[in-house]
Amino acid sequence: MNITKKNYKIYAEPWPHLVVENFLNSQEAVKFKNEILNFKNFDDKVMVNRNRVNKGTDNFENLVQKTKYIKRFYQLMNDEKFYKNVRNLFKKIKLRWVPNDQYHTFSKNFFGEQKFSFKEKFIKLLSYFGFIKTSMNLDMDFSVSSKGYYRAAHRDRDTRVINFLLYLNNIPANSGGALEIHEPNFNKNFQDEYPRFPKKNQVKFVKKIKPKSGRLVVFLSTPNSYHAAEKITKKLNRVFVYGSYSLNKKVNWKKSVK
């Protein structure tokens, strides 16, 4: 579980993302995948056919504590050092959007709610006005998606700075399940001018990144980072981890002056 100079490629367009090959070796990926598949207590089913175990639930805590590879991965990712190492990689390329991701503390326990929460909204409000200190945290879910699962083009929640996706098994190319990268058909100067869920004619498809065992995809959650999940058309499982490094308030993105 590592990112080295030899196992990743970084891209600036259409928005900043990097692809890490063999972040997990083949044995680690199989063991990790089986730990998820053998766990039957999912928290919810969303997006047609995606079962999730979400950070902050009892199921998540049980899964982490009772497994080897999941626990090791979670401990690696839920660490400020890993966030900073990944964030520094994006400083090597020219960025069109730069986040104000300054924070006072890195919280290992805080998590964003999966559903609307007055508590989370209140915390974001207090942090925005400076009544409480800004913190960074890891959000994560362990997921199994099956035939019929898809996600239309969108960008993620406005608290997120960096998103990541770890694939734990290979999916045949003609079966769907790829990460689709899109770009907007417009260019605006302010983040709020980019809808979170754009209309079909507001974005265009750029490329796919297919699921591959042990492959990690990381991207900045910029206002224009539109992405989608290609519909799974065959009877199979896509086993993966989706997560983000998020603030306890809205991230302010500014157009780069470089």
Side-chain angles (χ1 to χ4, degrees):
M1 298 183 186
N2 198 13
I3 301 177
T4 70
K5 293 181 179 179
K6 295 182 179 180
N7 74 343
Y8 81 89
K9 291 184 179 180
I10 193 165
Y11 306 88
E13 299 297 336
W15 33 263
H17 62 286
L18 62 91
V19 180
V20 185
E21 302 295 353
N22 301 313
F23 181 76
L24 303 182
N25 63 40
S26 58
Q27 181 183 18
E28 289 173 330
V30 169
K31 296 290 187 180
F32 198 141
K33 177 192 70 174
N34 289 338
E35 287 177 345
I36 294 177
L37 290 176
N38 291 334
F39 189 79
K40 306 301 181 182
N41 298 321
F42 291 98
D43 292 315
D44 56 17
K45 176 180 280 191
V46 295
M47 304 162 202
V48 181
N49 210 1
R50 173 180 171 184
N51 291 294
R52 300 187 302 187
V53 182
N54 304 307
K55 183 184 176 185
T57 67
D58 290 339
N59 287 332
F60 186 96
E61 293 301 319
N62 289 335
L63 181 57
V64 169
Q65 294 305 318
K66 294 179 179 180
T67 54
K68 177 181 178 181
Y69 293 92
I70 287 176
K71 183 176 183 179
R72 190 167 71 176
F73 175 78
Y74 177 63
Q75 289 174 338
L76 172 70
M77 304 298 281
N78 195 27
D79 189 277
E80 185 177 23
K81 181 179 179 181
F82 191 88
Y83 166 75
K84 288 184 175 180
N85 287 341
V86 173
R87 178 70 179 90
N88 286 337
L89 292 177
F90 287 107
K91 294 179 180 179
K92 296 180 180 181
I93 59 175
K94 184 178 180 180
L95 301 176
R96 284 192 285 168
W97 290 92
V98 180
N100 178 5
D101 56 344
Q102 297 178 356
Y103 58 93
H104 184 266
T105 58
F106 185 95
S107 173
K108 293 190 175 184
N109 298 317
F110 188 79
F111 56 90
E113 301 285 352
Q114 289 298 333
K115 298 180 180 179
F116 179 82
S117 166
F118 283 107
K119 177 183 175 182
E120 184 179 11
K121 192 173 183 66
F122 187 57
I123 289 173
K124 289 166 63 176
L125 189 66
L126 292 177
S127 179
Y128 178 82
F129 287 107
F131 293 113
I132 62 174
K133 293 177 179 178
T134 301
S135 65
M136 175 75 72
N137 69 277
L138 171 72
D139 280 328
M140 179 186 291
D141 67 70
F142 304 110
S143 290
V144 179
S145 57
S146 304
K147 184 177 180 180
Y149 165 75
Y150 76 98
R151 191 86 197 271
H154 66 284
R155 61 174 176 82
D156 284 352
R157 300 169 66 177
D158 60 15
T159 56
R160 296 183 173 184
V161 181
I162 290 177
N163 302 313
F164 62 86
L165 174 64
L166 175 65
Y167 294 115
L168 297 172
N169 63 319
N170 298 319
I171 302 294
N174 63 347
S175 301
L179 172 68
E180 295 183 340
I181 291 180
H182 296 253
E183 66 178 349
N185 288 324
F186 54 89
N187 183 26
K188 302 293 185 180
N189 291 320
F190 301 100
Q191 67 185 87
D192 290 339
E193 295 179 291
Y194 289 80
R196 187 178 171 198
F197 301 101
K199 297 178 181 178
K200 288 184 178 181
N201 63 358
Q202 290 182 301
V203 295
K204 63 180 179 180
F205 170 79
V206 177
K207 67 177 182 179
K208 296 179 184 179
I209 301 176
K210 68 178 183 179
K212 182 180 178 182
S213 180
R215 172 179 280 169
L216 177 71
V217 182
V218 186
F219 59 97
L220 284 184
S221 196
T222 56
N224 64 331
S225 61
Y226 291 119
H227 57 284
E230 182 185 30
K231 186 175 183 178
I232 297 178
T233 58
K234 301 293 177 64
K235 191 175 181 180
L236 49 79
N237 287 326
R238 176 189 191 245
V239 189
F240 62 103
V241 183
Y242 197 75
S244 68
Y245 292 100
S246 302
L247 299 182
N248 62 345
K249 68 176 183 180
K250 180 178 179 178
V251 181
N252 290 316
W253 295 87
K254 300 294 184 184
K255 275 285 186 75
S256 174
V257 296
K258 294 181 181 180

